[in-house]
Amino acid sequence: MTVRVDFVVTSGTFSLDGETHEVDNNVWIVGDDHEVVIIDAAHDADEILAAVDDRAVKAIICTHAHDDHINVAEDLAQATDALVMLHPADEPLWRHVYPDDDFEPLFDGEVIEVAGIQLQILHTPGHAPGAVCVYAPALNVLFSGDTLFRGGPGATGRSFSDFPTIIDSITERLFELSPETVVHTGHGDSTTIGEEAPHLHEWLQRGH
């Protein structure tokens, strides 16, 4: 069965440090006609479940625990019987949304199998302490969450974030991938490693 990548764009808010912003999030669904993994759990469980259809959900991977990426995680978990997976360094952010609900710890180097392919977890802190990217070598695709976007790294001007750390994550982990690797981001348009790598010096001059 052919593996494919589906996605939906959901809309809601992101709140941190006393500020709230309207945001659109990309929710990625990787699998075949029988089983999938959901990457990020943003805003609208019904819309995500409609895209999943009747396929089994093997896992709900949260690229980090900002509220706009996890705010329907428990709804999805209850509807699908799938585990919510998150890097434990983001537990303080998780607790802002779910003071009493736990998640399955997700670690650097972990491999999740779905539809006959492997999804490799890359810990890429900076935007958040537990931020991860999900790399699918068989598809030549990286799901970057909010670590890397078209046009630069994710924001680092808020609590729990750090600009030098995100730059290290991008240069040491992501820019080691082939230039042809397609980068599916947590917000906005997709890009490639090759499109973004030449702009590193501009990002360093710009700062966070």
Side-chain angles (χ1 to χ4, degrees), residues 27-49:
V27 178
W28 300 96
I29 300 166
V30 187
D32 59 16
D33 288 344
H34 302 293
E35 62 180 23
V36 300
V37 165
I38 298 171
I39 300 175
D40 284 330
H43 309 308
D44 192 329
D46 289 340
E47 190 170 353
I48 297 167
L49 291 169

Side-chain angles (χ1 to χ4, degrees), residues 83-161:
L83 292 174
V84 177
M85 307 185 76
L86 176 74
H87 194 284
D90 263 13
E91 183 166 3
L93 286 163
W94 172 268
R95 293 294 168 208
H96 288 174
V97 181
Y98 299 109
D100 301 315
D101 294 315
D102 292 325
F103 55 84
E104 182 73 11
L106 184 67
F107 296 103
D108 184 57
E110 191 163 344
V111 173
I112 298 163
E113 295 192 359
V114 62
I117 69 165
Q118 294 186 336
L119 303 178
Q120 301 176 0
I121 302 303
L122 308 178
H123 183 211
T124 53
H127 181 68
V132 302
C133 295
V134 183
Y135 178 47
L139 305 178
N140 202 30
V141 165
L142 178 81
F143 301 93
S144 65
D146 287 5
T147 295
L148 179 63
F149 292 107
R150 176 180 289 278
T156 54
R158 301 184 178 95
S159 297
F160 303 99
S161 65

